[in-house]
Amino acid sequence: MSFELDNLSPQTKAFLSRRATGTGLLVDGQWLAAAAGQTFATIDPGSGLEIGQIPAADTTQVDAAVAAARAAQKGWAATVPAERARILWKIADLIEAHIDELAELETLDQGKPLFVGRWAEIPGAAAQFRFFAGQAMAIEGSTLESSINYQPQGKQMRTWTVREAVGVVAAIVPWNSPLVLTAMKLAPALAAGCTVVLKPAEDTSLTAMRLVELMIEAGVPNGVINLITGLGAQTGAALANHPGVDKIAFTGSTATGRAVLDAAKTNFKRVTLELGGKSPSIVMPDADLSLAIPGVANAIFFNGGQVCIAGSRLYVHRSIHDQVVEGVAAYAKGLKVGHGLSPDTQMGPVVSARHAERVEGFLNRAKADGATMLTGGERFGASGAFIQPTVVVDVKPDMEIVREEVFGPVLVAQAFDDAEEVIAAANDSEYGLAASVWTEGFSNAHRMSSAIKAGTVWINCHAMYDASLAIGGVKQSGWGRDSGKQALDNYLEWKTVCAVV
Ligand code: NAD
C-alpha cells in the first residue's frame, strides 16, 4: 500500500506546485491566496501524506466572488447560444486532452482507483459539457393563444413566454465523485447563461482547480466561473447565505442539505438538493445470478461505496439467499484493495481518516446491535484510510446499519419471501434515490420499477448513468434533478409577456 508522491506524473507535479500551495482561489479571473492567509492541508487518503495546502476563503472573498459573478452575468447571458455551446464543447475537449492528469489528481485527492476516474468519471464530466453544449442551443419558450378579451382600438393581444437565466449560481459539491458532480452543475448553469461561484468539498479541491484552469483556457470569460475553497461550515455557509446568490445547486448529505435549505430561505434562492441514499438491490428468484452476483457486489464496492446511488441494502429471495450472499462475500474477499494509483487496485481507501473512523463507528455499532460480519468489518493498514469490503448479515429492519447511509464499502443483506414484502422493505427508508431489480421476468421488472419509490430504477444493472439521464431522488434524497435535459430547467426562469400590439 506504500506509495511515493515522487512517482506522480510531471503534469500533476507541476499542477501541485502551481495551485496546491495556498493559491487556488479564482475570483474574476485572478488566482488568489486566502485574504488572511489561512490554508488547510489536503491529504492523500491512500498514504496519509499531505499533498498540498488549500486556501480557506473568508467572507470578504466570498463577497468578491459573488460580486464578480454578478458583474459578468448579463454579458454571459447575452452571449449567443452558439458561442456558449462552442466554449462548453471546448471545455469537454480539454478535459479529454488532460484525462490522465485529471484522473491522477482525483485519485490522489479522493483515493478512488485510477480506472474509476480514467474510464468513468472524467469521461462522464466531459460528456456533461458536450451534452449541455447542445442544450444551450435548444432553449425555447412558447407562444400562447390566450383568452384575454382585450383589443383596444383594433389592436391585438399577443402572449408568449421566454426562458431567462436564473442569475448567479452557488455550486456546492461533495467529495465522493468531485469532477463529474461539478460538471453536472457547471455545464447546465453556463449553458443557460448563469454565472457560477463553485465551492468544492474541503477534502477534494484539486480537480476543481484544474477544471477551472481548463475552463479559462477554453475561453470562459472572467467572472463567469469563480472558485472558492474552504470549510463547509464557514466558506460554504457564507456562500449559501449570501444575498447576492440567486440559486444554490447543492450535492451532499441530507443533514447539510437542511442547512442549505435554511440558508436559501433568507432571500428565496432557487435551490436543488441532491442528497443521500440507502438504495436497495433486489434479487428476484428468477434472476440470472451470473449477472446479479457481480452486479450487486459492484453496486456497493465501486468507489468504496462512496456513491450516492450505491446499492447498500441487498434483498435476496430466500430460495437463493445463501448462494447470492456467499457469492457477493467471495467477490468482496477477492477484491484487491490498495492505493488508488497502484495499477492493480480494484478498491481504494475511503476519502479520509475522519471518514474511515465514521464508517468504523457504524460497523462497531452494528456488531453491538447483534449483526454478523460475513466478511470484512474492520479498518486495516498502518497508514491510509482503508476499510475492508464488508457484507453484514443477521440484521433487523430497524437497525442503524440498515437505515442510515454509511457511505463506505458496507453491504447489508436480508432475505425476503415475496414481491409485496420486498417492495415494502425497499420503500421502508427515508431515502428514495435509486434501486436495482435483478430478474429475467418482464412482469417483475415492470411491476417493481413502478412500485419502488426512487428517482432511478435499474433492471439487471446498477449505477449506469449518462449525460442524457436525469439523476436525483424523492423523499429525503432531495429536490430536483441533475444531468439530462431536465437539469437545464434548474437554471432558467420562465417570463410571461402579454403585449397589446
Ligand atoms: P457534505 O454535506 O458534508 O458536504 C457537501 C458540500 O457542502 C461540501 O462542499 C461542504 O464543504 C459543503 N458544506 C458543508 N456544510 C455546509 C454548510 N453549512 N453550508 C453550505 N455548504 C456546506 O457531504 P459530503 O460528505 O461531502 O458528501 C457525501 C454526501 O453526498 C452523501 O450523503 C452522498 O449521498 C451525497 N451525494 C449525493 C448525490 C446525489 O446526486 N444525490 C451525489 C453524490 C453525493
Side-chain angles (χ1 to χ4, degrees):
M1 240 168 301
S2 66
F3 182 79
E4 298 299 326
L5 296 183
D6 287 348
N7 296 348
L8 295 170
S9 68
Q11 293 84 350
T12 298
K13 282 185 187 163
F15 168 79
L16 292 177
S17 50
R18 182 165 75 240
R19 288 283 159 254
T21 48
T23 55
L25 300 175
L26 184 88
V27 178
D28 203 13
Q30 304 300 312
W31 287 100
L32 302 170
Q38 301 102 328
T39 59
F40 57 94
T42 191
I43 305 288
D44 165 22
S47 64
L49 298 174
E50 180 176 320
I51 308 165
Q53 289 287 319
I54 307 296
D58 67 11
T59 52
T60 62
Q61 288 177 311
V62 173
D63 288 347
V66 173
R70 175 66 61 201
Q73 200 268 320
K74 255 193 182 167
W76 179 244
T79 306
V80 294
E83 175 62 4
R84 298 204 298 270
R86 191 188 65 74
I87 292 174
L88 291 176
W89 198 274
K90 182 86 192 290
I91 296 168
D93 287 345
L94 286 172
I95 290 172
E96 283 178 350
H98 294 85
I99 197 161
D100 291 322
E101 180 191 347
L102 286 163
E104 188 171 61
L105 272 179
E106 199 80 302
T107 291
L108 187 62
D109 213 11
Q110 200 278 341
K112 63 186 70 236
L114 211 44
F115 77 87
V116 173
R118 179 66 183 76
W119 299 109
E121 295 188 358
I122 314 295
Q128 290 287 329
F129 283 101
R130 283 220 175 92
F131 180 81
F132 285 103
Q135 294 296 311
M137 296 197 294
I139 297 170
E140 46 184 39
S142 54
T143 58
L144 301 119
E145 290 300 316
S146 84
S147 299
I148 303 169
N149 194 8
Y150 180 60
Q151 297 164 0
Q153 297 153 12
K155 294 190 170 181
Q156 289 185 320
M157 173 66 77
R158 288 280 174 257
T159 49
W160 66 92
T161 59
V162 287
R163 310 303 309 274
E164 293 182 346
V166 165
V168 172
V169 172
I172 303 178
V173 292
W175 48 255
N176 58 310
S177 297
L179 193 76
V180 66
L181 294 174
T182 299
M184 281 185 197
K185 302 193 182 311
L186 267 45
L190 267 50
C194 293
T195 54
V196 179
V197 179
L198 168 63
K199 157 73 181 79
E202 40 273 61
D203 284 325
T204 54
S205 305
L206 296 180
T207 50
M209 293 172 187
R210 188 67 187 109
L211 173 66
V212 167
E213 287 185 342
L214 296 174
M215 290 173 75
I216 292 165
E217 189 180 334
V220 174
N222 288 353
V224 171
I225 177 71
N226 303 274
L227 172 64
I228 285 293
T229 54
L231 304 183
Q234 284 100 48
T235 310
L239 181 60
N241 280 288
H242 202 289
V245 169
D246 299 303
K247 182 204 154 44
I248 306 174
F250 175 79
T251 300
S253 63
T254 296
T256 309
R258 282 198 186 90
V260 165
L261 200 50
D262 274 344
K265 75 186 183 199
T266 53
N267 61 334
F268 289 100
K269 297 175 182 79
R270 275 65 184 131
V271 58
T272 39
L273 301 168
E274 299 297 336
L275 307 178
K278 189 79 180 177
S279 300
S281 299
I282 300 170
V283 185
M284 300 299 284
D286 64 350
D288 175 348
L289 298 191
S290 69
L291 274 182
I293 291 173
V296 299
N298 207 32
I300 183 67
F301 299 126
F302 181 80
N303 206 25
Q306 301 160 113
V307 181
C308 56
I309 49 184
S312 50
R313 287 185 289 151
L314 173 62
Y315 295 95
V316 188
H317 191 266
R318 200 173 302 278
S319 60
I320 50 171
H321 174 269
D322 292 356
Q323 184 186 356
V324 171
V325 172
E326 280 160 21
V328 175
Y331 184 105
K333 278 185 201 142
L335 281 173
K336 173 93 182 64
V337 185
H339 196 291
L341 291 174
S342 301
D344 56 347
T345 290
Q346 293 171 304
M347 197 183 95
V350 296
V351 70
S352 64
R354 192 180 62 245
H355 189 53
E357 272 164 37
R358 182 176 174 273
V359 175
E360 192 181 25
F362 275 110
L363 294 172
N364 289 341
R365 290 190 295 279
K367 290 173 198 166
D369 287 345
T372 304
M373 307 289 136
L374 188 62
T375 185
E378 305 287 341
R379 275 184 81 166
F380 71 102
S383 61
F386 291 94
I387 301 275
Q388 293 171 335
T390 298
V391 178
V392 186
V393 293
D394 298 331
V395 294
K396 295 199 175 65
D398 59 349
M399 282 184 188
E400 179 195 59
I401 198 78
V402 178
R403 308 201 72 80
E404 298 288 325
E405 182 184 48
V406 176
F407 222 55
V410 179
L411 179 66
V412 177
Q414 292 167 269
F416 69 88
D417 291 300
D418 63 54
E420 287 311 315
E421 179 194 352
V422 77
I423 288 168
N427 287 336
D428 180 21
S429 171
E430 65 187 28
Y431 298 111
L433 195 52
S436 59
V437 181
W438 302 79
T439 178
E440 291 299 290
F442 180 76
S443 299
N444 272 339
H446 198 271
R447 177 181 176 201
M448 307 281 285
S449 64
S450 133
I452 291 170
K453 295 191 191 329
T456 302
V457 179
W458 292 283
I459 310 293
N460 294 326
C461 57
H462 195 109
M464 297 289 155
Y465 67 80
D466 181 80
S468 66
L469 301 177
I471 291 182
V474 299
K475 300 196 273 182
Q476 294 191 33
S477 289
W479 283 355
R481 296 290 180 271
D482 274 355
S483 193
K485 67 180 185 194
Q486 294 86 343
L488 195 67
D489 282 337
N490 299 337
Y491 302 93
L492 291 167
E493 295 281 14
W494 285 103
K495 180 179 277 177
T496 302
V497 183
C498 291
V500 176
V501 288

